[in-house]
Amino acid sequence: MYPRPIKICASLTCADFLHLERDIQALEAAGVDYMHIDVMDGTFVPNYCLSPATMRTARRATDLPMDVHLMIEKPERYLETFIEAGADVLVVHQEATTHLQRTLAKIRDLGCRAGVALNPATSLHTLDYVLEDIDLLLIMTVNPGFTGQQLVPSMLRKISDARAMFASRGLSVDIMVDGNVSFQNAPKMALAGANWLVGGTSSVFMRGLTIAEGTAKLRRIATAAQGTTA
Ligand code: DX5
Ligand code: ZN
């Protein structure tokens, strides 16, 4: 069941929007697996970010799949909107939706893969009764809202606890990490059991590297770290 294949999800927020088409083509050439779309509503997190309009624009430049990270209150109001805009995986925050199981089931009913995200302070135990309803667990490794933050160190333990939790239930679920997935942190995250890595300013879009260099390095070191789990 583990290790599961490494997937690189490039955080489109970190692209150069003056040259979006160029950056998207570079992501495609670099072989990233997903474009990670951060959506923020200024309420659930103290910032604003991408939107369905951004997704439609990006889709004109590429067929790369999109995983959509909804950092918005009551995401159940907008599931159809984001799926129609092209989401292949739709991730809602546990903290943002009162009827989490209903929201996750609806995402699947709409033909999309369902993910759930946890803020650093939210326990894995809050998902105990919805584990069968999720295709992906997103462990926020920083408090969501901003790029360029530092890893919350206890999140490494949360990743290994999540892996153990899924294994004990006989479930095969992808674990995504988002926030400061740097060249220093990614090997520890992969070793702990994360396999979907959000590449932002700490890797894929790191200053001083090309997108191709950042992506290749992230994939190489994470895959190597996974090998040490065998
Ligand atoms: C989450 C952030 C991340 C960010 C991660 O709130 O928006 O998706 O792009 O990139 P880093 O931490 O590397 O800047
Ligand atoms: Zn994100």
Side-chain angles (χ1 to χ4, degrees):
M1 222 171 276
Y2 285 97
R4 296 174 63 76
I6 293 288
K7 302 284 181 191
I8 307 291
C9 307
S11 181
L12 204 67
T13 303
C14 304
D16 178 352
F17 272 69
L18 196 57
H19 302 286
L20 186 60
E21 186 175 17
R22 181 202 66 191
D23 277 9
I24 288 174
Q25 284 166 353
L27 292 171
E28 204 169 88
V32 308
D33 297 288
Y34 285 84
M35 286 190 297
H36 179 82
I37 309 290
D38 278 324
V39 181
M40 305 185 187
D41 65 356
T43 302
F44 182 69
V45 288
N47 204 356
Y48 292 93
C49 214
L50 309 183
S51 71
T54 326
M55 293 169 63
R56 286 189 287 268
T57 303
R59 181 54 76 231
R60 289 167 56 204
T62 181
D63 290 327
L64 272 177
M66 295 188 232
D67 72 278
V68 181
H69 177 196
L70 295 180
M71 289 165 273
I72 65 175
E73 291 289 351
K74 301 191 193 315
E76 60 273 14
R77 296 173 296 167
Y78 295 108
L79 304 180
E80 289 91 343
T81 304
F82 284 96
I83 291 169
E84 280 163 22
D88 298 280
V89 184
L90 198 49
V91 182
V92 298
H93 267 263
Q94 183 275 349
E95 305 87 357
T97 182
T98 304
H99 303 289
L100 178 62
Q101 196 281 335
R102 176 186 287 155
T103 303
L104 293 168
K106 187 166 176 200
I107 294 171
R108 281 184 169 173
D109 282 350
L110 291 168
C112 197
R113 294 184 74 203
V116 63
L118 297 179
N119 285 335
T122 306
S123 172
L124 290 170
H125 298 301
T126 59
L127 302 182
D128 199 10
Y129 299 99
V130 295
L131 291 184
E132 283 77 7
D133 298 291
I134 66 176
D135 300 300
L136 177 99
L137 169 64
L138 195 181
I139 295 180
M140 286 305 307
T141 39
V142 300
N143 288 287
F146 302 95
T147 60
Q149 302 183 80
Q150 293 299 304
L151 169 73
V152 176
S154 58
M155 294 304 98
L156 292 173
R157 180 164 58 86
K158 195 178 199 178
I159 298 163
S160 39
D161 288 349
R163 183 173 70 159
M165 175 182 75
F166 288 128
S168 74
R169 296 275 287 266
L171 294 168
S172 142
V173 173
D174 291 306
I175 299 178
M176 173 187 258
V177 279
D178 187 5
N180 199 203
V181 184
S182 64
F183 302 125
Q184 292 72 37
N185 294 329
K188 299 177 210 161
M189 293 165 166
L191 186 60
N195 65 308
W196 283 43
L197 311 178
V198 176
T201 62
S202 329
S203 59
V204 170
F205 293 96
M206 191 176 193
R207 230 175 251 232
L209 292 183
T210 65
I211 285 174
E213 289 166 346
T215 303
K217 185 169 179 184
L218 182 60
R219 192 185 292 283
R220 186 174 67 246
I221 59 173
T223 306
Q226 268 194 329
T228 64
T229 63

